Amino acid sequence: GAGVSQSPRYKVAKRGQDVALRCDPISGHVSLFWYQQALGQGPEFLTYFQNEAQLDKSGLPSDRFFAERPEGSVSTLKIQRTQQEDSAVYLCASSRAGGSQPQHFGDGTRLSIL
Amino acid sequence: EDKVVQSPLSLVVHEGDTVTLNCSYEVTNFRSLLWYKQEKKAPTFLFMLTSSGIEKKSGRLSSILDKKELFSILNITATQTGDSAIYLCASLRWGNEKLTFGTGTRLTIIP
């Protein structure tokens, strides 16, 4: 597609529920990134894939967070047993591999945990 | 740990003014510095700076990197209300493609 596509745009869940957020990167982009953006803050890195390989997951805040990209295209970020502190905007970005090209971001999923 | 600091946190100016936004960084194995504009949705890419002292321009926006003093500036001339947004600065290091962001500068342009 023309840009990075994320769904849903908004998600409301009760504390303790599991959620799944989807990211469809720009066609041909090898690298895919997930960031978490709290209100009034810059995005914070969560995890990164090159094709289907998860190369860095150092930013995932707990083992309740899990990301996958099984066929090297669409990615899913799953949060289990959600907590109120998980409320944030989750941004996905993609780029050509190697870091010489900029990352392009989707519109994000705004997650609210009640 | 990599650190990116932006100033000011917030700025309000009148339409037509010129603004300068600042970004300083402390990054091991620094590779590049990037600027993004964020309105209500996705951060949109503005500039990627890798070499010191070379100005990049796009219309009324320009940016430059100083790798000796470890900072970058983003200039916007003849500001318009459509320039109102949060401007984010991010660093990229060699060996890892993740971006480290500052907290952003919220720019408001008054008509």
Side-chain angles (χ1 to χ4, degrees), chain A residues 5-17:
Chain A
S5 177
Q6 292 189 245
S7 62
R9 285 295 320 279
Y10 303 92
K11 177 71 179 176
V12 179
K14 291 184 179 177
R15 193 167 73 90
Q17 287 183 329

Side-chain angles (χ1 to χ4, degrees), chain A:
Chain A
V4 178
S5 177
Q6 292 189 245
S7 62
R9 285 295 320 279
Y10 303 92
K11 177 71 179 176
V12 179
K14 291 184 179 177
R15 193 167 73 90
Q17 287 183 329
D18 298 349
V19 299
L21 313 179
R22 177 189 166 106
C23 173
D24 203 337
I26 293 172
S27 179
H29 278 191
V30 169
S31 299
L32 184 147
F33 306 81
W34 285 99
Y35 293 85
Q36 180 190 61
Q37 188 173 24
L39 195 64
Q41 301 295 317
E44 290 199 3
F45 171 79
L46 294 177
T47 186
Y48 143 56
F49 292 85
Q50 195 168 95
N51 296 305
E52 68 278 3
Q54 191 173 19
L55 298 188
D56 186 344
K57 53 182 182 178
S58 62
L60 296 176
S62 77
D63 58 8
R64 297 185 295 103
F65 286 71
F66 172 75
E68 60 184 5
R69 194 186 185 196
E71 296 178 1
S73 179
V74 171
S75 176
T76 303
L77 176 67
K78 297 178 180 177
I79 310 173
Q80 298 176 320
R81 305 182 304 281
T82 51
Q83 305 290 320
Q84 280 197 317
E85 62 263 28
D86 300 335
S87 296
V89 175
Y90 290 84
L91 293 167
C92 178
S94 70
S95 72
R96 300 188 188 279
S100 63
Q101 297 294 320
Q103 294 176 26
H104 295 276
F105 284 81
D107 285 345
T109 294
R110 182 176 295 277
L111 176 64
S112 299
I113 305 300
L114 305 179

Side-chain angles (χ1 to χ4, degrees), chain B residues 7-101:
Chain B
S7 64
L9 292 183
S10 178
L11 187 57
V12 181
V13 300
H14 287 97
E15 200 167 21
D17 287 351
T18 293
V19 297
T20 298
L21 310 183
N22 303 291
C23 175
S24 64
Y25 62 91
E26 293 175 28
V27 176
T28 305
N29 292 329
F30 174 81
R31 180 174 184 176
S32 300
L33 191 126
L34 293 88
W35 286 95
Y36 287 85
K37 177 183 181 182
Q38 187 174 29
E39 295 173 89
K40 293 192 189 300
K41 302 179 183 178
T44 53
F45 171 73
L46 295 175
F47 298 109
M48 185 173 192
L49 304 153
T50 304
S51 300
S52 203
I54 299 174
E55 185 183 52
K56 291 209 172 181
K57 288 197 74 157
S58 177
R60 296 176 294 102
L61 277 65
S62 64
S63 184
I64 197 161
L65 176 68
D66 185 327
K67 290 169 77 171
K68 183 180 174 188
E69 300 297 330
L70 308 182
F71 76 92
S72 174
I73 59 172
L74 174 69
N75 277 322
I76 309 174
T77 59
T79 51
Q80 302 171 359
T81 54
D83 296 327
S84 294
I86 295 171
Y87 289 83
L88 295 164
C89 166
S91 66
L92 180 69
R93 56 154 70 183
W94 285 101
N96 191 309
E97 292 188 42
K98 71 180 185 184
L99 295 175
T100 299
F101 282 88

